[in-house]
Amino acid sequence: MRRLATLAIVLAVFGLGGWAADNWARSRAEDRVAAVLQTRLGVGQKPEVTIGGFPFSLSFLTRAVPSARISAASVPLTVSGKGVHLTGVIVDAERISLEGDQVRLARVTGTGVLSYGDLALISGVPTSSGGDGRLRLNYTARIGSQQFTLWVTAAPRLSEDGSSIELTAVRLEQEGTSATLSQAQLDRLARPIPLKLPAGVRLTALTPSEGGVAVAAMATGLSFTLS
């Protein structure tokens, strides 16, 4: 019995030691990835990185981990040639492998919030919340010999391929203007907003709110070099 008890204690000590070492290795790897991302993204605050898989030490043999999550307060992004920022960013990556100096990610999903100021940069017209999940946009229109500045609200909808925001159910705000436009004229005025994202990234959802536009995106088969 004493031998069994001693053996149990030894195994427990080694088990705890292995667990602590595994957690230490994971923490070091997460910190290193966060530092690389901070430099690559050009952000002032180091993002938070959580690497999945247990035991983590197994990744030294397989050179792969099943998942990782990255959280960042703000991330710069180029959309349709315009420099914007996403805030409250959360990115989940699945099946991450290292081949030489190439990091490959089988699938990546992410969420964040785009400000109305940045959306205005992309759309090319003043843009704000229209309430009830709608956008409020300002256009200049010529009707006959007169030029009017018009505010309209519209329900945004992603195009099927995710390459633009289509503006549907367009309504004219009558306050402050005497212009009268037909629905066909309003629809022509509210042109789709182009969404040219980084290669391989596709927007999958957007939801306007008072604080900005919550967006979700997805990408598959991404890769980048560590150097």
Side-chain angles (χ1 to χ4, degrees):
M1 287 295 293
R2 182 176 296 178
R3 289 183 177 180
L4 287 176
T6 302
L7 178 60
I9 293 171
V10 170
L11 289 175
V13 169
F14 274 101
L16 288 172
W19 177 81
D22 193 74
N23 279 349
W24 178 85
R26 186 193 307 274
S27 179
R28 287 293 299 272
E30 290 171 344
D31 189 66
R32 182 182 175 190
V33 171
V36 170
L37 288 173
Q38 183 181 19
T39 301
R40 287 289 186 92
L41 297 175
V43 295
Q45 185 177 351
K46 187 183 292 187
E48 294 183 7
V49 177
T50 304
I51 300 176
F54 183 84
F56 174 75
S57 303
L58 187 62
S59 65
F60 296 129
L61 297 176
T62 63
R63 296 177 67 81
V65 293
S67 64
R69 167 166 284 196
I70 301 158
S71 304
S74 179
V75 173
L77 189 66
T78 300
V79 180
S80 300
K82 308 294 183 180
V84 300
H85 283 79
L86 286 182
T87 59
V89 176
I90 297 177
V91 176
D92 288 301
E94 301 173 11
R95 301 193 302 279
I96 307 161
S97 59
L98 180 63
E99 301 174 15
D101 63 349
Q102 286 278 321
V103 178
R104 302 188 185 279
L105 303 92
R107 186 173 184 270
V108 179
T109 57
T111 59
V113 177
L114 182 70
S115 72
Y116 285 108
D118 280 347
L119 183 57
L121 284 178
I122 300 168
S123 67
V125 298
T127 307
S128 60
S129 170
D132 297 324
R134 296 172 66 84
L135 298 177
R136 186 172 182 261
L137 307 103
N138 182 247
Y139 294 101
T140 298
R142 181 172 293 278
I143 304 173
S145 60
Q146 292 185 296
Q147 185 167 289
F148 295 90
T149 297
L150 308 170
W151 282 98
V152 304
T153 66
R157 180 181 65 193
L158 279 177
S159 61
E160 287 190 8
D161 61 0
S163 65
S164 65
I165 300 174
E166 298 174 347
L167 301 174
T168 67
V170 184
R171 301 173 191 162
L172 175 65
E173 284 192 358
Q174 296 292 344
E175 186 177 348
T177 180
S178 58
T180 301
L181 277 73
S182 68
Q183 189 61 51
Q185 288 174 312
L186 285 174
D187 291 339
R188 285 195 297 271
L189 189 65
R191 297 178 297 275
I193 301 171
L195 293 174
K196 187 177 181 182
L197 299 173
V201 181
R202 179 177 180 271
L203 207 64
T204 57
L206 77 159
T207 306
S209 64
E210 290 299 322
V213 181
V215 298
M218 182 186 73
T220 56
L222 292 183
S223 63
F224 61 89
T225 59
L226 287 175
S227 57

